[in-house]
């Protein structure tokens, strides 16, 4: 395999940069940092207006004629400017799931709305008592005539404060086995009985707890068959762990850390990068970044072929999240005492972005499937290891 890197988006970089210069407001990145909301609604509106959200989607469901590579280059450019698009990422996961398992009526209702920027979906999987074991959900949904009543609580419903819907996993049959009796619903966030409570995290992002008290949704909000929600979840989790939104493939830690090391003076008159050990450590981070890119490209290639990259997505997510935590721990070690200076502190290296990213990386091995669960899936389904081992 040839691992030589080529910039397949090179033809679109200048146009993407021009789009960002004309449409991205300089204060948006700081607003995301200070508010903890990793989705800027106004930028989302502009991306939809120019057909960037619809790039690569079928025309019958609202797709645009914008080149998907240009759209990827735009998301790259936004990411390089420090902007997150978490709400769009989760929306793409749900939209791709609907494309796979939704009814034709749901596809024609929800997909065009998402690509117009009118529908944005947060994920309502985890609960206070279950964490990553989403199949143990206790939130209940009972049929009431031609609608459903939902009662329960969800945790870590990130960006729900700016989303139009939550993709809620609920138990519809309490007598069924753990992975049976589950169903998924698209619940509007303006529903009577739905409350959103912010939770401030170590990494600075504001996530949410969402509470459902006799929240009524029509039968058309049900995605997939009744009591067969786990089959739908398996599709949704593939997209969460492996594909997600057409976000940036550009990982910049090694670049940013090398830039700091080349100008960071030492008492002996040399710069940090002159230390062979420091240069080697940055090089190892760069290698891991390339491996993550290779995993991501493999997953995207499988999706482009029409495959569902279940194992590959789990492998990508496991490697990238574990590597991210190692990288930022290594980074603070390289920076020394100054590494613990937070954004806003005087003399913080690179304005404190390394310290902030270190805190934010803590959750990466938890959301989208904890590393322990991903290892079990890979061991059982890819390596065909036994589920139970003898004592």
């Amino acid at each position: 395999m040839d691992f030589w890197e080529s910039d397949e988006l090179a033809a679109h970089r200048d146009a993407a940069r021009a789009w960002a210069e004309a449409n991205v407001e300089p204060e948006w990145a700081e607003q995301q940092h200070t508010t903890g909301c990793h989705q800027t609604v106004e930028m989302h509106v502009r991306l939809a207006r120019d057909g960037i959200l619809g790039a690569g989607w079928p025309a019958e469901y609202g797709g645009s004629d914008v080149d998907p590579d240009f759209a990827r280059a735009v998301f790259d450019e936004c990411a390089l400017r420090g902007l997150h698009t978490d709400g769009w990422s989760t929306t793409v996961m749900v939209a791709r799931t609907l494309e796979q398992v939704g009814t034709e009526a749901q596809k024609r209702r929800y997909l065009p709305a998402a690509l117009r920027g009118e529908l944005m979906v947060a994920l309502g999987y985890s609960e206070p008592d279950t964490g990553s074991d989403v199949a143990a959900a206790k939130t209940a949904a009972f049929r009431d005539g031609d609608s459903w009543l939902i009662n329960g609580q969800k945790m870590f419903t990130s960006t729900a404060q700016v989303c139009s819907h939550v993709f809620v996993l609920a138990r519809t049959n309490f007598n069924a086995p753990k992975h049976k009796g589950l169903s998924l619903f698209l619940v509007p966030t303006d529903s009577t009985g739905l409350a959103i409570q912010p939770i401030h995290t170590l990494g600075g992002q504001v996530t949410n707890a969402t509470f459902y008290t006799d929240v009524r949704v029509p039968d058309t909000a049900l995605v997939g068959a009744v009591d067969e929600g786990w089959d739908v979840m398996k599709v949704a989790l593939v997209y969460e762990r492996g594909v997600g939104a057409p976000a940036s493939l550009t990982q910049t830690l090694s670049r940013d850390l090398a830039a700091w090391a080349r100008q960071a003076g030492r008492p002996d008159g040399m710069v940090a990068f002159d230390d062979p050990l420091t240069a080697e450590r940055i090089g190892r981070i760069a290698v891991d970044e390339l491996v993550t890119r290779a995993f991501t490209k493999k997953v995207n290639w499988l999706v482009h072929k029409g495959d569902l990259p279940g194992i590959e997505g789990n492998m990508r997510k496991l490697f990238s999240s574990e590597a991210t935590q190692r990288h930022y721990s290594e980074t603070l070690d390289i920076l020394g005492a100054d590494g613990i200076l937070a954004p806003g502190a005087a003399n913080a290296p690179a304005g404190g972005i390394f310290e902030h990213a270190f805190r934010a990386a803590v959750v990466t091995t938890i959301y989208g499937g904890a590393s322990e669960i991903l290892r079990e899936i890979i061991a059982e389904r890819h390596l065909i290891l036994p589920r139970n081992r003898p004592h």
Side-chain angles (χ1 to χ4, degrees):
M1 180 179 289
D2 182 5
F3 280 95
W4 180 258
E5 277 292 298
S6 61
D7 185 359
E8 69 274 21
L9 306 183
H12 301 281
R13 293 292 184 190
D14 289 343
R17 192 172 301 111
W19 188 93
E21 289 173 354
N23 290 280
V24 174
E25 303 297 337
E27 66 270 16
W28 284 349
E30 179 61 24
Q31 287 174 358
Q32 287 193 359
H33 178 72
T34 56
T35 65
C37 181
H38 287 182
Q39 178 69 46
T40 298
V41 174
E42 181 56 34
M43 185 175 76
H44 192 69
V45 169
R46 297 180 187 185
L47 289 165
R49 176 200 65 197
D50 292 342
I52 295 169
L53 300 185
W57 286 83
E60 63 266 31
Y61 299 132
S64 68
D65 58 1
V66 171
D67 189 323
D69 282 344
F70 170 70
R72 288 176 58 206
V74 169
F75 279 102
D76 262 3
E77 188 64 32
C78 293
L80 289 171
R81 292 166 186 254
L83 287 164
H84 301 274
T85 53
D86 290 12
W88 176 235
S89 295
T90 52
T91 301
V92 169
M93 297 170 199
V94 176
R96 291 298 183 190
T97 303
L98 286 171
E99 190 180 30
Q100 291 276 340
V101 304
T103 65
E104 188 61 27
Q106 287 174 330
K107 294 176 189 178
R108 294 193 177 277
R109 176 183 178 184
Y110 293 119
L111 298 187
L115 303 181
R116 292 194 302 266
E118 299 166 3
L119 179 140
M120 201 182 312
V121 189
L123 304 180
Y125 300 159
S126 298
E127 297 186 5
D129 297 330
T130 60
S132 293
D133 188 10
V134 293
K138 298 177 182 177
T139 294
F142 294 102
R143 190 183 289 278
D144 183 34
D146 60 354
S147 60
W148 295 82
L149 287 177
I150 300 175
N151 286 276
Q153 179 182 349
K154 296 292 180 179
M155 291 290 287
F156 313 123
T157 318
S158 299
T159 70
Q161 68 271 38
V162 294
C163 284
S164 61
H165 290 72
V166 180
F167 198 40
V168 176
L169 179 70
R171 189 160 295 282
T172 45
N173 186 344
F174 280 81
N175 296 317
K178 178 179 176 180
H179 288 81
K180 297 291 184 180
L182 295 166
S183 301
L184 277 152
F185 300 87
L186 274 170
V187 180
T189 52
D190 61 359
S191 299
T192 301
L194 194 160
I196 300 172
Q197 178 179 311
I199 300 173
H200 296 264
T201 69
L202 174 67
Q205 183 179 8
V206 174
T207 186
N208 303 286
T210 46
F211 302 87
Y212 305 81
T213 305
D214 288 335
V215 174
R216 186 179 296 275
V217 294
D219 199 45
T220 54
L222 173 69
V223 178
V226 177
D227 294 346
E228 299 297 331
W230 189 246
D231 290 337
V232 179
M233 273 293 301
K234 287 190 289 187
V235 176
L237 288 172
V238 165
Y239 287 109
E240 181 173 5
R241 294 168 183 170
V243 186
S248 173
L249 286 177
T250 304
Q251 295 172 290
T252 61
L253 174 58
S254 60
R255 183 202 68 183
D256 295 342
L257 188 55
W260 168 85
R262 287 190 175 99
Q263 55 80 38
R266 301 193 316 185
D268 60 4
M270 302 176 70
V271 295
F273 202 79
D274 293 332
D275 181 350
L277 179 58
T278 296
E280 179 185 345
R281 294 165 93 176
I282 295 173
R284 290 183 181 277
I285 292 173
V287 169
D288 280 352
E289 290 177 341
L290 290 176
V291 173
T292 297
R293 284 177 62 90
F295 269 124
T296 303
K297 289 182 176 182
K298 173 68 176 293
V299 169
N300 288 336
W301 174 68
L302 290 170
V303 171
H304 182 72
K305 289 202 315 173
D307 296 338
L308 198 60
I311 293 299
E312 295 82 2
N314 285 299
M315 293 168 66
R316 189 214 69 84
K317 197 277 176 180
L318 176 63
F319 180 86
S320 64
S321 60
E322 295 276 341
T324 295
Q325 288 190 353
R326 290 197 309 272
H327 294 170
Y328 283 108
S329 178
E330 189 91 351
T331 296
L332 292 201
D333 195 38
I334 292 171
L335 296 175
D338 287 346
I340 63 173
L341 295 176
N347 301 319
I353 62 171
F354 299 127
E355 186 275 341
H356 175 263
F358 172 80
R359 287 186 282 113
V362 170
V363 76
T364 58
T365 53
I366 300 173
Y367 64 55
S371 292
E372 293 79 4
I373 292 175
L374 300 184
R375 288 191 178 96
E376 288 183 1
I377 292 172
I378 294 167
E380 293 174 16
R381 302 181 192 173
H382 183 60
L383 301 177
I384 320 300
L385 296 176
R387 186 177 183 86
N388 294 310
R389 297 171 178 79
H391 293 294

